[in-house]
Amino acid sequence: MKFRGKSFFKKVFFICLAAIILVALFVVGINAYMINYTRKFIYRDISQVPARYVAIVPGARVYSDNVISFVFRDRIAGGMDLLERGTVQKVLVSGDHGRKNYDEVNAARIYIKKMYNVDESLIFMDHAGFSTYETMYRARDVFCVKDAVIVTQRFHLYRSLYIARKLGLNAVAYEAPEINGFHPLLKAKWEQREMLARVKTFFLVMFKVKPTYLGSQIPITGDGHATWD
């Protein structure tokens, strides 16, 4: 067997290093592009948010029918605040209801009924919002949304808004208020995960991937009770 000298392993090392650098630059580039593309449509001051017909509230983790995560709670609070101010006329709450033992949307429904005195006909539930991409796609194709305010945390706003606008929605975003605040280390963890999620989103949008479910249209201009179960 012919011995491969140091020069061979040196070449392999530099090839691997170059590949890692190229991948890192690609990830950073996609993130920079997505953030730059959306930043001008993001609002932190609720009084500055332009009027749109619907607020889209992406789902987040729940622990039971009666306990939702602080992340989801803050998103819901932002959506309800926009509705109360008249900035939006309807609220579309999306989430994962693909399993019998895990149900984000009905946990949200229970929470809204408990915490807010609101006309239920104004609140729509998307039971098949299994991902941010599917939430925005279904908002357009199932709920016939044309313009929206997306309500979520800062780290999630860029990706959500990128999807919505690339799908043709006249969308802006409102940064959900932090009612209790989140630990900086937790936020850093979210940001790290989000960097890769943005790359995945870039390709989902590029290849126009279909969501898991579409189904019959339920126009957002109608009665939200049609989506409550």
Side-chain angles (χ1 to χ4, degrees), residues 64-68 103-116 125 228-229:
S64 71
D65 287 345
N66 298 311
V67 182
I68 66 175
D103 183 352
E104 292 177 358
V105 287
N106 278 308
R109 174 181 61 80
I110 292 168
Y111 178 78
I112 290 171
K113 289 188 71 172
K114 178 181 178 181
M115 299 299 296
Y116 298 96
M125 296 289 171
W228 289 55
D229 64 18

Side-chain angles (χ1 to χ4, degrees), residues 12 19 22 48 64 82 96 103 117 122 156 163 174 189 226:
V12 171
L22 286 174
Q48 299 299 314
S64 71
L82 289 168
D96 183 347
D103 183 352
N117 181 21
L122 304 180
H156 189 223
I163 297 166
Y174 170 51
K189 183 179 179 181

Side-chain angles (χ1 to χ4, degrees), residues 51-68:
R52 295 291 187 269
Y53 190 75
V54 58
I56 299 176
V57 178
R61 185 171 179 80
V62 301
Y63 303 101
S64 71
D65 287 345
N66 298 311
V67 182
I68 66 175

Side-chain angles (χ1 to χ4, degrees), residues 128-143:
F130 303 129
S131 67
T132 304
Y133 180 79
E134 291 179 285
T135 290
M136 302 306 160
Y137 201 116
R138 285 174 53 81
R140 185 193 68 180
D141 285 22
V142 175
F143 296 94

